[in-house]
Amino acid sequence: MNVIDLLRAAGPLLWVLLALSVYVVYLSAARAQALSRLGADARTLIERARAVTAESGPAAALAEVDRAAHPSPAAQVLRAGLARADRGAEAAQAAMQSALLTEDARLYAGLGALGTAAQIGPLLGLLGTVIGMVRSFLVFSQTTNPTPAQLGTGISEALVNTAAGLAVAIIAYVCRNALRLKADRLALQAEQVREDLPGWLTRPVPAARPAVPAAPLPDVALSFGGTP
Protein backbone atom coordinates (compact mmCIF):
# COMPACT_ATOMS: atom_id res chain seq x y z
CA MET A 1 0.00 0.00 0.00
CA ASN A 2 1.53 3.30 -1.10
CA VAL A 3 1.04 6.79 0.35
CA ILE A 4 -1.90 7.59 -1.92
CA ASP A 5 -3.68 4.45 -0.79
CA LEU A 6 -3.04 5.33 2.83
CA LEU A 7 -4.47 8.81 2.36
CA ARG A 8 -7.54 7.39 0.69
CA ALA A 9 -7.99 4.83 3.44
CA ALA A 10 -7.68 7.48 6.17
CA GLY A 11 -11.12 8.87 5.47
CA PRO A 12 -12.45 12.43 5.39
CA LEU A 13 -11.14 13.32 8.84
CA LEU A 14 -7.60 13.34 7.49
CA TRP A 15 -8.48 16.28 5.24
CA VAL A 16 -9.55 18.22 8.32
CA LEU A 17 -6.17 17.50 9.89
CA LEU A 18 -4.38 18.53 6.70
CA ALA A 19 -6.30 21.82 6.63
CA LEU A 20 -5.39 22.38 10.29
CA SER A 21 -1.74 21.72 9.55
CA VAL A 22 -1.76 24.27 6.72
CA TYR A 23 -3.33 26.81 9.07
CA VAL A 24 -0.69 26.13 11.73
CA VAL A 25 2.18 26.55 9.29
CA TYR A 26 0.70 29.73 7.80
CA LEU A 27 0.00 31.31 11.20
CA SER A 28 3.44 30.40 12.50
CA ALA A 29 5.15 31.94 9.48
CA ALA A 30 3.03 35.11 9.69
CA ARG A 31 3.73 35.57 13.40
CA ALA A 32 7.44 34.88 12.94
CA GLN A 33 7.59 37.58 10.28
CA ALA A 34 5.69 40.04 12.47
CA LEU A 35 7.92 39.41 15.50
CA SER A 36 11.01 39.70 13.34
CA ARG A 37 9.84 43.14 12.24
CA LEU A 38 9.12 44.18 15.85
CA GLY A 39 12.28 42.60 17.20
CA ALA A 40 14.81 45.22 16.14
CA ASP A 41 17.10 46.00 19.08
CA ALA A 42 16.03 49.24 20.76
CA ARG A 43 18.84 49.52 23.32
CA THR A 44 20.72 52.17 21.36
CA LEU A 45 17.58 54.29 21.00
CA ILE A 46 16.76 53.93 24.69
CA GLU A 47 20.23 55.05 25.77
CA ARG A 48 20.13 58.00 23.38
CA ALA A 49 16.71 59.02 24.69
CA ARG A 50 18.01 58.79 28.26
CA ALA A 51 20.93 61.07 27.45
CA VAL A 52 18.78 63.60 25.60
CA THR A 53 16.26 63.63 28.46
CA ALA A 54 19.03 64.43 30.95
CA GLU A 55 20.50 67.17 28.77
CA SER A 56 17.52 68.81 27.04
CA GLY A 57 14.36 67.41 28.64
CA PRO A 58 11.66 64.94 27.58
CA ALA A 59 10.38 67.05 24.68
CA ALA A 60 13.72 66.82 22.89
CA ALA A 61 13.92 63.11 23.66
CA LEU A 62 10.43 62.60 22.20
CA ALA A 63 11.52 64.33 19.00
CA GLU A 64 14.54 62.03 18.86
CA VAL A 65 12.35 58.93 19.26
CA ASP A 66 9.92 60.17 16.61
CA ARG A 67 12.77 60.71 14.15
CA ALA A 68 14.02 57.18 14.73
CA ALA A 69 10.57 55.65 13.92
CA HIS A 70 11.61 52.46 15.68
CA PRO A 71 8.97 49.68 15.39
CA SER A 72 9.80 47.81 18.60
CA PRO A 73 7.36 47.68 21.55
CA ALA A 74 9.99 49.29 23.79
CA ALA A 75 10.12 52.31 21.48
CA GLN A 76 6.33 52.61 21.51
CA VAL A 77 6.20 52.51 25.30
CA LEU A 78 9.03 55.04 25.46
CA ARG A 79 7.19 57.36 23.06
CA ALA A 80 4.00 57.15 25.12
CA GLY A 81 5.82 58.02 28.32
CA LEU A 82 7.76 60.94 26.88
CA ALA A 83 4.60 62.36 25.30
CA ARG A 84 2.99 62.63 28.78
CA ALA A 85 6.13 63.59 30.64
CA ASP A 86 5.10 67.25 30.85
CA ARG A 87 2.17 66.21 33.07
CA GLY A 88 4.34 64.47 35.62
CA ALA A 89 5.80 61.06 36.29
CA GLU A 90 2.44 59.52 37.25
CA ALA A 91 0.81 60.55 33.97
CA ALA A 92 3.78 59.18 32.05
CA GLN A 93 3.53 55.91 33.98
CA ALA A 94 -0.18 55.56 33.16
CA ALA A 95 0.44 56.26 29.47
CA MET A 96 3.21 53.68 29.34
CA GLN A 97 1.02 51.08 31.05
CA SER A 98 -1.68 51.58 28.42
CA ALA A 99 0.89 51.36 25.62
CA LEU A 100 2.37 48.22 27.16
CA LEU A 101 -1.03 46.49 27.13
CA THR A 102 -1.45 47.39 23.46
CA GLU A 103 2.00 46.07 22.60
CA ASP A 104 1.39 42.84 24.53
CA ALA A 105 -1.71 42.25 22.42
CA ARG A 106 0.39 42.67 19.29
CA LEU A 107 3.22 40.46 20.53
CA TYR A 108 1.10 37.54 21.66
CA ALA A 109 -1.49 37.62 18.87
CA GLY A 110 -2.04 34.20 17.33
CA LEU A 111 -0.30 32.24 20.07
CA GLY A 112 -3.62 31.24 21.60
CA ALA A 113 -4.75 29.84 18.26
CA LEU A 114 -1.56 27.80 17.98
CA GLY A 115 -2.14 26.45 21.48
CA THR A 116 -5.68 25.48 20.55
CA ALA A 117 -4.47 23.71 17.41
CA ALA A 118 -1.91 21.82 19.49
CA GLN A 119 -4.68 20.63 21.79
CA ILE A 120 -7.29 19.64 19.24
CA GLY A 121 -4.85 17.98 16.81
CA PRO A 122 -4.42 14.82 18.91
CA LEU A 123 -8.13 14.82 19.72
CA LEU A 124 -9.00 14.82 16.02
CA GLY A 125 -6.45 12.05 15.49
CA LEU A 126 -8.02 10.07 18.33
CA LEU A 127 -11.44 10.56 16.77
CA GLY A 128 -10.11 9.18 13.49
CA THR A 129 -8.61 6.26 15.39
CA VAL A 130 -11.94 5.43 16.99
CA ILE A 131 -13.74 5.67 13.65
CA GLY A 132 -11.18 3.36 12.03
CA MET A 133 -11.46 0.81 14.80
CA VAL A 134 -15.25 0.91 14.59
CA ARG A 135 -15.02 0.12 10.90
CA SER A 136 -12.74 -2.82 11.65
CA PHE A 137 -15.19 -4.22 14.20
CA LEU A 138 -18.04 -3.77 11.72
CA VAL A 139 -16.13 -6.02 9.35
CA PHE A 140 -16.08 -8.70 12.04
CA SER A 141 -19.82 -8.34 12.59
CA GLN A 142 -20.63 -8.52 8.87
CA THR A 143 -18.15 -11.20 7.82
CA THR A 144 -17.45 -14.56 9.40
CA ASN A 145 -13.86 -14.82 8.25
CA PRO A 146 -12.64 -11.31 7.27
CA THR A 147 -9.58 -11.07 5.10
CA PRO A 148 -6.57 -8.91 6.02
CA ALA A 149 -7.51 -6.49 3.25
CA GLN A 150 -10.94 -5.97 4.76
CA LEU A 151 -9.50 -5.32 8.20
CA GLY A 152 -6.65 -3.21 6.86
CA THR A 153 -8.94 -0.41 5.72
CA GLY A 154 -10.17 0.43 9.22
CA ILE A 155 -6.78 -0.10 10.82
CA SER A 156 -5.09 2.12 8.24
CA GLU A 157 -7.66 4.86 8.87
CA ALA A 158 -7.00 4.64 12.61
CA LEU A 159 -3.22 4.74 12.40
CA VAL A 160 -2.95 7.43 9.74
CA ASN A 161 -5.28 9.78 11.60
CA THR A 162 -3.39 9.19 14.84
CA ALA A 163 -0.07 10.02 13.19
CA ALA A 164 -1.49 13.10 11.48
CA GLY A 165 -3.01 14.42 14.71
CA LEU A 166 0.27 13.99 16.59
CA ALA A 167 2.23 15.66 13.79
CA VAL A 168 -0.05 18.71 13.85
CA ALA A 169 0.25 18.93 17.64
CA ILE A 170 4.05 18.71 17.59
CA ILE A 171 4.39 21.42 14.94
CA ALA A 172 1.95 23.71 16.76
CA TYR A 173 3.65 23.25 20.13
CA VAL A 174 7.15 23.87 18.79
CA CYS A 175 6.13 26.96 16.85
CA ARG A 176 4.10 28.36 19.73
CA ASN A 177 6.92 27.97 22.24
CA ALA A 178 9.51 29.49 19.90
CA LEU A 179 7.28 32.48 19.14
CA ARG A 180 6.40 32.95 22.81
CA LEU A 181 10.06 33.07 23.82
CA LYS A 182 10.71 35.83 21.32
CA ALA A 183 7.58 37.73 22.37
CA ASP A 184 8.61 37.44 26.03
CA ARG A 185 12.00 38.96 25.25
CA LEU A 186 10.45 41.95 23.49
CA ALA A 187 7.85 42.41 26.23
CA LEU A 188 10.58 42.37 28.89
CA GLN A 189 12.46 45.17 27.16
CA ALA A 190 9.27 47.26 26.99
CA GLU A 191 8.57 46.55 30.66
CA GLN A 192 12.06 47.71 31.53
CA VAL A 193 11.47 51.01 29.77
CA ARG A 194 8.27 51.50 31.73
CA GLU A 195 10.13 50.98 34.99
CA ASP A 196 13.12 53.20 34.10
CA LEU A 197 11.51 56.25 32.51
CA PRO A 198 10.04 57.80 35.70
CA GLY A 199 13.57 57.89 37.12
CA TRP A 200 14.73 59.87 34.11
CA LEU A 201 12.06 62.48 34.67
CA THR A 202 12.88 62.97 38.35
CA ARG A 203 16.03 65.01 38.32
CA PRO A 204 17.87 65.17 41.62
CA VAL A 205 18.11 68.63 43.11
CA PRO A 206 21.76 69.55 43.69
CA ALA A 207 22.62 69.88 47.36
CA ALA A 208 23.30 73.39 48.57
CA ARG A 209 26.89 74.12 49.40
CA PRO A 210 27.56 74.93 53.04
CA ALA A 211 28.12 78.58 53.71
CA VAL A 212 31.77 79.47 54.23
CA PRO A 213 32.20 81.91 57.09
CA ALA A 214 33.84 85.14 56.08
CA ALA A 215 37.38 85.65 57.30
CA PRO A 216 37.64 88.35 59.99
CA LEU A 217 38.99 91.65 58.79
CA PRO A 218 42.32 92.71 60.36
CA ASP A 219 42.25 95.61 62.79
CA VAL A 220 43.70 98.74 61.22
CA ALA A 221 44.97 101.50 63.51
CA LEU A 222 44.34 104.94 62.13
CA SER A 223 46.44 107.83 63.24
CA PHE A 224 45.87 111.51 62.68
CA GLY A 225 48.65 114.05 62.88
CA GLY A 226 51.20 111.52 64.06
CA THR A 227 49.24 110.70 67.24
CA PRO A 228 48.56 106.98 67.67
Side-chain angles (χ1 to χ4, degrees):
M1 182 178 289
N2 54 27
V3 177
I4 302 299
D5 294 333
L6 285 175
L7 294 177
R8 289 175 180 173
L13 195 60
L14 179 65
W15 299 106
V16 177
L17 288 169
L18 289 176
L20 183 62
S21 66
V22 171
Y23 173 74
V24 167
V25 172
Y26 167 77
L27 182 60
S28 300
R31 292 310 305 161
Q33 184 179 8
L35 290 178
S36 178
R37 186 173 64 253
L38 297 175
D41 193 0
R43 285 178 295 182
T44 302
L45 176 63
I46 293 170
E47 291 301 323
R48 188 162 66 245
R50 185 200 300 268
V52 174
T53 301
E55 294 177 1
S56 306
L62 178 60
E64 183 73 19
V65 173
D66 288 338
R67 280 195 298 271
H70 204 280
S72 68
Q76 304 305 319
V77 173
L78 179 61
R79 180 180 292 108
L82 292 173
R84 291 292 185 90
D86 57 340
R87 303 184 184 182
E90 292 184 0
Q93 186 79 12
M96 287 189 292
Q97 179 63 32
S98 177
L100 187 60
L101 293 176
T102 302
E103 294 304 314
D104 282 347
R106 285 205 305 164
L107 287 174
Y108 296 101
L111 297 187
L114 287 176
T116 302
Q119 291 175 351
I120 67 174
L123 296 178
L124 290 174
L126 180 60
L127 178 61
T129 302
V130 172
I131 294 174
M133 297 308 296
V134 168
R135 288 189 178 182
S136 296
F137 283 113
L138 287 176
V139 172
F140 277 106
S141 64
Q142 296 172 357
T143 307
T144 305
N145 295 315
T147 62
Q150 291 174 327
L151 294 175
T153 301
I155 295 175
S156 298
E157 180 176 359
L159 296 179
V160 171
N161 282 298
T162 301
L166 291 176
V168 171
I170 291 171
I171 295 172
Y173 267 124
V174 170
C175 293
R176 178 181 178 272
N177 290 339
L179 294 172
R180 187 176 184 85
L181 285 176
K182 191 167 187 178
D184 287 343
R185 180 179 59 81
L186 296 175
L188 179 61
Q189 191 176 48
E191 179 74 23
Q192 211 165 12
V193 170
R194 189 194 67 169
E195 295 295 329
D196 293 344
L197 183 58
W200 306 357
L201 304 177
T202 306
R203 297 183 179 181
V205 179
R209 294 183 179 179
V212 179
L217 296 176
D219 296 333
V220 179
L222 300 176
S223 60
F224 299 94
T227 303

